[in-house]
Amino acid sequence: MPKLLRSLLLLWGLLALTAPLAQADEAVQTKAAALIAEQGFSAADVGYLVFDLSDGTILSEQNADRLYIPASLQKVPTLLFGLERLGSGHRFDTQLLTSGRITGGRLIGDLYLKGGGDPFLSNDDLLPLIDQLKAAGITRVDGRFFFDDSALPAMTELNPSQPRAVGYNPGLSALNLNFNVLDLNWVRDQQSGSLAAGAVATADETKVTADAVRISQLPASRGKTVPYLPDLTADGDGWLLSPELPNKGWARVPVKLPALNAARIFRQLAAQRGVTLPQPQAGIAPPDSRGLAKHRSKPLVEAVRLILRHSNNLSAEVVALMAASHGTTPALTLIESGRRITNWLRSKVPQADWRGLLLANGSGLTSQSRMTARQMATILLYGHSLRVSGLDVPALMSKPRWQKQLRSLRRQHGQGLEVRGKTGTIYFSRAYAGYLDSKDGRPLGFALFVSDLNQRQRYDAALNIDELVAPPGASGWMRRAKTLERELVSLWLVSY
């Protein structure tokens, strides 16, 4: 019965959502147009749609069928796809396996650290695995130590068209640790002028120096726009530092070989706790392996809440790949996982107009994806319909950062005003969508896009993936987009 009711509610709302706007509040439309012009955007730069969640009635719209860049707003359909395909209670397992025997505190045979795609695995989670290993009577492995990341395709970066040295563009595998980032620290010796540096793997409580990360100096000055680069000649992760770096500093850098990095950190932590392991190497656990230890991740629904709040690209891509591969042919690329999410949307809401929709991956870390405000509104309507089945999608989304302005609006218009949503940010594009409780208590949905596609295309054409410098005018553009976003959402809150 809940599934039938959900389908009926979705169809009812969709019929209104796809119908032409019959009548809009002209005063609201006029104010919105003034806000857009005040922030220096053209009408074509902005597309939005505001609708009543109870029946899908459109309250206001502009360019609702124009395609824009969704950026991280794309994580919303990705995570809905993951919740449905994997289940809200799904957990990702990280295991220690062996087919050897234990005698006298030694494992006579091979040890396997097998990743299950846990997007939140941290140093803190590895410690209980080591303790379980010791509890099984193992303080030394006389065979080999393998890392098994075969559950997912391995890649050295999420998007090769993004800068290589930014922390939000790490590698990916089935065995990820600390979101696949390291803290790179450096200090200059005042006498010799040389840089001393180290990499630290950071978790909530447990920090460990990543001893195997090789750090060298760039052979010649590359200028301040290239402060550091991945060292592709290193055996594992390595970094080349510019001689023009400041005398002291730190940066959060991406891990390019995540499974190897995780295994090396595991080996270091094991040594600290009295367990001796050989150097790790890649390998697949044989079918007859038995379990020695296991770490289970938090339930997927809790992971989704955190991904929506913190917008971690790696976590979203892992969920996308795991869900895209669940019960079917594995998705070997992020492009393929995006294609499967698109096909899933078409199958779930076939009545909607999905023309032009392009999800180039699962996280939105791309300027290639495209989406309309009406398509995003349809996704929100589908997410809201899941409440009938017990999944409260609006509650998984985050409150906006502009709480001071919200408090001011509540003092003027009443206490019921509330906003839950997800943002998306990429140079020259900003997106925001979610759910509102308006002045009159009406549950509303909204989807808002601001994009300057011409400026973004010029940036992409001139991009040097080794540089870490924002394009001219990007920060000012984003400030104006965020101001417009706040003012438009506030307008809708108090107008309906």
Side-chain angles (χ1 to χ4, degrees):
M1 185 63 183
K3 185 176 181 180
L4 176 60
L5 179 59
R6 175 161 58 90
S7 298
L8 291 173
L9 289 172
L10 179 62
L11 179 59
W12 182 21
L14 185 64
L15 290 174
L17 194 61
T18 55
L21 177 61
Q23 183 177 0
D25 188 326
E26 291 188 6
V28 174
Q29 296 285 108
T30 300
K31 290 178 183 177
L35 290 172
I36 292 169
E38 183 179 314
Q39 294 303 323
F41 294 105
S42 71
D45 289 337
V46 182
Y48 63 78
L49 192 147
V50 187
F51 63 100
D52 192 317
L53 281 164
S54 61
D55 58 10
T57 300
I58 300 173
L59 303 175
S60 186
E61 68 172 91
Q62 174 174 303
N63 297 323
D65 297 304
R66 184 187 289 269
L67 291 163
Y68 295 92
I69 301 173
S72 283
L73 191 57
Q74 190 178 315
K75 291 181 174 71
V76 176
T78 291
L79 297 173
L80 291 177
F81 174 68
L83 286 168
E84 179 156 312
R85 293 292 295 271
L86 300 173
S88 60
H90 178 82
R91 295 175 186 265
F92 304 89
D93 293 339
T94 305
Q95 303 177 76
L96 288 175
L97 303 167
T98 187
S99 55
R101 57 186 176 86
I102 304 169
T103 179
R106 298 189 173 197
L107 175 63
I108 312 301
D110 300 330
L111 179 68
Y112 294 84
L113 176 62
K114 182 175 177 61
D118 185 352
F120 289 92
L121 189 70
S122 70
N123 294 343
D124 299 344
D125 300 323
L126 297 184
L127 298 181
L129 286 174
I130 299 167
D131 291 340
Q132 292 176 62
L133 199 62
K134 293 181 69 175
I138 299 171
T139 57
R140 183 182 183 88
V141 173
D142 282 351
R144 295 165 295 181
F145 174 38
F146 291 103
F147 57 89
D148 182 348
D149 63 347
S150 58
L152 286 177
M155 53 197 75
T156 58
E157 54 195 345
L158 301 181
N159 188 339
S161 297
Q162 292 285 320
R164 289 193 294 165
V166 291
Y168 57 77
N169 190 24
L172 176 152
S173 79
L175 184 57
N176 308 293
L177 186 67
N178 306 324
F179 303 105
N180 293 345
V181 293
L182 294 169
D183 287 346
L184 184 64
N185 304 279
W186 65 85
V187 62
R188 190 181 304 278
D189 184 274
Q190 295 302 309
Q191 293 184 340
S192 67
S194 62
L195 287 171
V200 177
T202 303
D204 293 338
E205 299 292 339
T206 307
K207 296 183 180 180
V208 59
T209 300
D211 292 337
V213 176
R214 188 174 80 181
I215 300 175
S216 309
Q217 186 167 298
L218 281 166
S221 174
R222 298 289 298 273
K224 293 182 180 180
T225 61
V226 186
Y228 38 82
L229 283 176
D231 183 357
L232 302 181
T233 68
D235 176 21
D237 276 87
W239 287 90
L240 300 169
L241 307 187
S242 167
E244 294 191 19
L245 281 170
N247 290 338
K248 184 178 181 180
W250 76 280
R252 185 148 289 167
V253 297
V255 170
K256 298 300 182 181
L257 299 172
L260 176 59
N261 173 73
R264 284 175 166 173
I265 297 298
F266 181 85
R267 180 175 181 267
Q268 286 183 232
L269 291 171
Q272 293 175 11
R273 297 174 90 84
V275 179
T276 303
L277 303 177
Q279 289 288 347
Q281 54 187 296
I284 298 177
D288 61 348
S289 298
R290 69 181 188 279
L292 292 172
K294 179 188 292 186
H295 168 74
R296 306 212 76 191
S297 74
K298 54 176 61 70
L300 180 58
V301 67
E302 176 63 14
V304 165
R305 183 182 66 82
L306 292 171
I307 295 170
L308 287 173
R309 174 175 296 182
H310 300 291
S311 204
N312 183 265
N313 294 315
L314 169 72
S315 302
E317 297 292 5
V318 167
V319 172
L321 284 168
M322 293 294 287
S325 302
H326 188 62
T328 184
T329 305
L332 300 180
T333 65
L334 301 186
I335 293 174
E336 177 59 28
S337 69
R339 185 178 298 117
R340 294 188 188 186
I341 296 168
T342 302
N343 292 338
W344 172 78
L345 286 170
R346 294 179 186 276
S347 69
K348 287 296 169 181
V349 196
Q351 305 90 345
D353 183 358
W354 298 110
R355 288 177 297 178
L357 176 67
L358 174 61
L359 306 182
N361 56 22
S363 66
L365 182 61
T366 174
S367 62
Q368 302 305 308
S369 292
R370 293 291 185 273
M371 183 185 291
T372 71
R374 197 179 312 277
Q375 289 166 349
M376 188 64 223
T378 301
I379 293 167
L380 293 171
L381 189 62
Y382 179 78
H384 189 260
S385 75
L386 297 177
R387 299 182 76 173
V388 177
S389 305
L391 185 62
D392 192 346
V393 172
L396 295 176
M397 293 188 168
S398 299
K399 296 180 180 180
R401 294 186 177 181
W402 36 278
Q403 290 298 307
K404 183 177 180 180
Q405 180 160 339
L406 261 182
R407 288 193 293 270
S408 176
L409 291 174
R410 289 177 185 130
R411 286 193 295 269
Q412 299 175 52
H413 300 279
Q415 293 299 311
L417 306 180
E418 191 59 87
V419 183
R420 291 274 187 173
K422 177 76 186 79
T423 60
T425 304
I426 196 169
Y427 287 140
F428 303 116
S429 286
R430 176 75 173 179
Y432 190 29
Y435 303 95
L436 308 176
D437 290 331
S438 70
K439 179 184 69 172
D440 295 334
R442 298 173 72 178
L444 308 180
F446 72 97
L448 168 64
F449 294 89
V450 185
S451 292
D452 188 326
L453 298 180
N454 290 330
Q455 286 202 72
R456 180 66 211 194
Q457 288 169 358
R458 286 195 293 271
Y459 167 74
D460 286 337
L463 175 65
N464 179 345
I465 61 173
D466 288 341
E467 291 186 338
L468 295 178
V469 57
S475 58
W477 189 99
M478 191 57 64
R479 281 195 299 271
R480 292 186 290 113
K482 289 181 178 180
T483 299
L484 175 62
E485 165 187 294
R486 184 177 66 247
E487 295 302 322
L488 284 175
V489 173
S490 298
L491 173 64
W492 298 330
L493 272 172
V494 302
S495 298
Y496 299 112

